[in-house]
Amino acid sequence: MPEPATLADSKVMNRMRELLAARGLDLPAGPIDDTPTPEEPGHPDYHRRQRVSVALSRWETATPYRYRQATATDPQVTAWADRAIADPRTAGILLLTGPFGTGKTHQAYGALRRIAEAGVDHFAMIATTSPDMYALLRPGGSEHGIQHEIKRLGRIPLLLVDDLGTEKISEFTEEATYRLLNERYNECRPLIITTNLPARADGQVDLVDKLGERIVSRLAQIATIVPIEGTDRRREYR
Ligand SMILES: Nc1ncnc2c1ncn2[C@@H]1O[C@H](COP(=O)(O)OP(=O)(O)OP(=O)(O)O)[C@@H](O)[C@H]1O
Ligand SMILES: [Mg+2]
């Protein structure tokens, strides 16, 4: 007598089926499909949703309340965020320029949210203003020391420096900015900067007076400069 082809055809299985049927239970014939559904661990969509959920909660923790509804709407900003999603190493710097209240900070947080929502690997961000950043980098500003802070800010996957150029230039601000930009430049990490300094007619931003030549030449090489124009939105909301 030939051997049963599969376990499901075997005498043992037939007997088990009879016993289960006697109790009103049904044993499905053939192999059981245990492929994970999108709701289960092991399915790529499940893991993508987990990453989005972690990323969005990190984004929310790092985002001031005012900007928790921020969505990037400027096409150049969304295009930069999409580049940072596709390959963070080549996105470089997004430099948002424009007068007070046009929505630079809003677009910046919106860009970071867009990246979080994409389910990228290892989403982590720090958002700071340039006065806070310089306060941290000053001697005695951090219990961990400047070198540690430069590495921390330089290596975090995403960094936002809001309001660059509000400080008076000094040897200290120039050196600190240079070290930070250089660290991120060498690590090929994306960076978003907002500034009130106006863009010149040739599209460049007049940061030389504020930041010095060394920094501006690095910025020019890797920055996407996006003017955020319009009127002061804060007046509209009054
Ligand atoms: N697209 C938008 N939709 C709704 N509200 C917005 C939008 N853009 C900006 N706002 C709101 O307008 C106000 C000013 O925007 P924001 O703070 O981003 O301006 P800013 O350009 O960064 O100004 P500043 O140069 O003074 O820092 C904020 O209250 C912000 O929430
Ligand atoms: Mg702002």
Side-chain angles (χ1 to χ4, degrees), residues 37-38 131 204 208 235:
T37 65
Q204 297 295 307
V208 179
R235 287 174 189 271

Side-chain angles (χ1 to χ4, degrees), residues 71-93:
T71 307
T73 48
D74 184 287
Q76 283 181 275
V77 174
T78 55
W80 181 88
D82 291 345
R83 288 208 301 281
I85 292 164
D87 183 5
R89 301 269 177 208
T90 57
I93 299 174

Side-chain angles (χ1 to χ4, degrees), residues 67 101 103-106 162-163 194 196 234:
Y67 300 104
K104 299 177 294 295
T105 306
H106 180 102
D162 206 7
D163 282 332
T194 78
N196 283 132
R234 293 197 187 97

Side-chain angles (χ1 to χ4, degrees), residues 199-204:
R200 295 194 314 241
D202 61 3
Q204 297 295 307

Side-chain angles (χ1 to χ4, degrees), residues 220-238:
Q221 190 185 350
I222 49 171
T224 306
I225 301 172
V226 180
I228 305 292
E229 279 152 358
T231 50
D232 182 353
R233 285 173 176 268
R234 293 197 187 97
R235 287 174 189 271
E236 293 167 26
Y237 292 119
R238 259 185 221 151

Side-chain angles (χ1 to χ4, degrees), residues 31-44:
I32 295 163
D33 181 10
D34 60 357
T35 323
T37 65
E39 276 65 50
E40 290 171 331
H43 193 284

